[in-house]
Amino acid sequence: MSSERIALSAAAILLLAHVAVIATWGTSSPGPISSDAIQLSLGALVIFTCFGAARRSEGLARSFWRLTAAAYTLWFVAQSLSIYIDLSHTSGSLQWVTNLLFCFWFVPLAMAMFLDPEQQSGSLDSLNALDFIQAVLVCVAAYLYFFYLPKSESPGELAHSVWEPYFIGYGFVAGAFVLRALLTSHRVPRALFGRFGVLLFLSGAVDAMYYYGPGRDLKTGAWFDLLWSSMLLSPLVLAATWKQAEAPDPAVESPEPEKKIHTDVFYLFYPLLVLFMSLRIAREHLGLAAVVVFLSFVCSSARLLVTQHRLVRTQEALRREASRDGLTGIWNRKAILEILDREILRAERDGASLGVIMADVDHFKAVNDSRGHAAGDFVLRIIASEIAAVVRPYDSVGRYGGEEFLIVAPGCGLPETWDLAERVRNCVAKCSFIVGTNSVSVSLSLGIATTTSPAHAERLLQQADSALYQAKNAGRNCVQPSAGRAAIATLGSSTASESKFWL
Ligand code: GH3
Ligand code: MG
Ligand code: MG
């Protein structure tokens, strides 16, 4: 029998026992204390099943169940304290703490609003940590608002004047859950927020019945306690029956990412609440209200800074991705052509020359055909990195086509460009690619062109391309200038040392 089934059976037995206790003793001793103890045991079972559900889940659902377990742990502490107070007949500050916990036990659960289905890795995120601090601030402000300022009729009781705001706040959280369930395009948050939204509404309704309705003036041990118990049974059933597989990863199903604006609105919820409560605190204690608002402001600003920082980082990554070639990591065609345009303008302004080298791998199709496409990719990657390493720091290398590379060399006339192209050719010719047990050698044919006034990118590229065509015709593994002077390289004349690469 699985632990979930055991928990469900134990919960059912506890509920039956509760009915029996109420029927037998009711509000006379030992009815109330037994009733409280049964509810405490139910609470322990809820925490246990929530942790179980977290273990069976991943991503957002795991964090959600952990927060739920944290919320019910607060409730559990409050219930334990209240039993202790009943037994020891103490009151005062302990009673206040108990009331505070009973009123705000659901705050960790409300924090689930800040979970992002696309970012939950299961580890603590700095934004989540900041939201948690905000939540604590809300509790402090609410404590001042609900307990410290209003003059309650009996100490430790929730003052009558704050019943309404309490229920409005509670309803707000429940409403936010339901709204999130309706707005989200992901199945996991829809299932979790929807179910818990309904649960919070029901729990709020039971609270309201206790303060306004038939539960009023009823003592512990009366029939009304069964309603509280059933409110504990619901999360237990939800947690015990939760299966992540029931709601598979939505990213596969919904191509549209979650509309961020909807979820982002919720981050404004806590500072707004703090501000609202501080208005009232300010009437009694201006300094206290100022401290609360200031701390909330610091949190919100820090949150803004973290978000801004992440945005800039994402922007940089996107920009990099948009200008880099996916396979080789060097500039892509669009980026290298932009660089060429820019360098032409600079060369014209400075009256300097500019060299362009078009390089094409010789018989590359044969590498693909004989060694496979993956080996071809490997060879291309190494060639690109070798070219990038051999050129000067201010030269730019881009992937112009499949196995064609374009090098832009600022400040280079014909001799310098030629020299550079020879260095590149030599470097690649010395490379051996070891694929399995075989060694593969490749060579480059290179066409060069230099700027003439007025320079034009298209013409320059055309000249380099036709020079490359001539290099192919001249037998490959050589450099040809656009002027058409043949310069077939002498193999082995280079001083470059041999390099080997294993796949
Ligand atoms: P030549 O010496 O005349 O340039 O012969 P070649 O075989 O290199 O020329 P061709 O244009 O016929 O073939 C180029 C090959 O490059 C064909 C294509 O499959 C391969 N290729 C292009 N891009 C990639 C790539 O990203 N990865 C791999 N593995 N192969 C590629
Ligand atoms: Mg080729
Ligand atoms: Mg080619």
Side-chain angles (χ1 to χ4, degrees), residues 2 14 26 28 51-52 59 82 121 168 222 238 264 276 279 302 307 340 350 396 437 493:
S2 70
L14 280 170
S28 54
F51 276 122
S82 112
S121 57
I168 290 171
L238 288 183
D264 279 357
F276 170 75
L279 284 177
T307 317
L340 178 62
D350 299 347
S396 305
T437 50
S493 66

Side-chain angles (χ1 to χ4, degrees), residues 286-364:
L286 193 60
L288 212 58
V291 169
V292 171
V293 171
F294 174 74
L295 290 176
S296 176
F297 171 78
V298 169
C299 266
S300 302
S301 307
R303 191 173 210 292
L304 205 68
L305 283 177
V306 172
T307 317
Q308 190 82 7
H309 177 67
R310 286 188 185 176
L311 209 66
V312 169
R313 266 205 334 225
T314 314
Q315 248 175 356
E316 270 169 18
L318 278 178
R319 199 177 301 140
R320 198 186 138 76
E321 228 170 82
S323 56
R324 293 285 167 170
D325 173 57
L327 177 71
T328 59
I330 58 175
W331 298 116
N332 61 21
R333 183 188 172 101
K334 183 171 167 282
I336 193 71
L337 290 179
E338 277 170 11
I339 290 171
L340 178 62
D341 283 337
R342 206 177 56 220
E343 289 301 337
I344 285 175
L345 287 177
R346 199 204 301 262
E348 271 189 339
R349 198 183 56 218
D350 299 347
S353 49
L354 176 73
V356 164
I357 304 169
M358 189 89 84
D360 185 286
V361 186
D362 297 328
H363 301 304
F364 189 63

Side-chain angles (χ1 to χ4, degrees), residues 356-359 414 445-450 459-474 476 478-487:
V356 164
I357 304 169
M358 189 89 84
L414 184 64
S445 294
L446 304 101
I448 59 174
T450 47
R459 192 171 337 127
L460 207 55
L461 288 171
Q462 216 170 22
Q463 286 172 349
D465 196 44
S466 58
L468 170 64
Y469 184 71
Q470 285 167 34
K472 291 279 182 193
N473 281 340
R476 295 178 169 81
C478 64
V479 179
Q480 281 284 329
S482 60
R485 278 184 290 148

